[in-house]
Amino acid sequence: MDANKKWLSIPKEFRSQLRKNVFCTKCKDAVTIESFTIEDHHFGIVLHGKCQQCGQEVARVVEAE
């Protein structure tokens, strides 16, 4: 629940930018993450989900300030 609170504390526009800027190793490009979960991490939070284009598993670290 803590990770979700951290995620929701980020302004909506910036969360949207983060979701659209996840690197996919299969597409070799920045993609949009979908069907993601949010987990606490010692750097901040991590989004785990799938690439919107190919379905490959992707992740994005969102560092805490």
Side-chain angles (χ1 to χ4, degrees):
M1 202 53 120
D2 235 10
N4 195 46
K5 286 181 183 178
K6 291 176 188 175
W7 176 246
L8 293 175
S9 72
I10 299 170
K12 186 177 182 177
E13 295 161 357
F14 192 59
R15 290 193 316 254
S16 178
Q17 290 175 349
L18 290 169
R19 285 192 318 265
K20 294 177 183 176
N21 190 21
V22 179
F23 187 78
C24 176
T25 57
K26 187 172 181 182
C27 295
K28 300 193 185 331
D29 201 1
V31 298
T32 300
I33 190 172
E34 64 180 12
S35 303
F36 62 93
T37 60
I38 305 162
E39 298 177 13
D40 270 319
H41 191 272
H42 64 274
F43 289 122
I45 57 175
V46 179
L47 308 179
H48 289 279
K50 298 198 179 282
C51 170
Q52 188 178 46
Q53 293 180 32
C54 72
Q56 174 81 17
E57 289 189 24
V58 295
R60 168 75 191 227
V61 175
V62 181
E63 295 178 7
E65 291 185 50

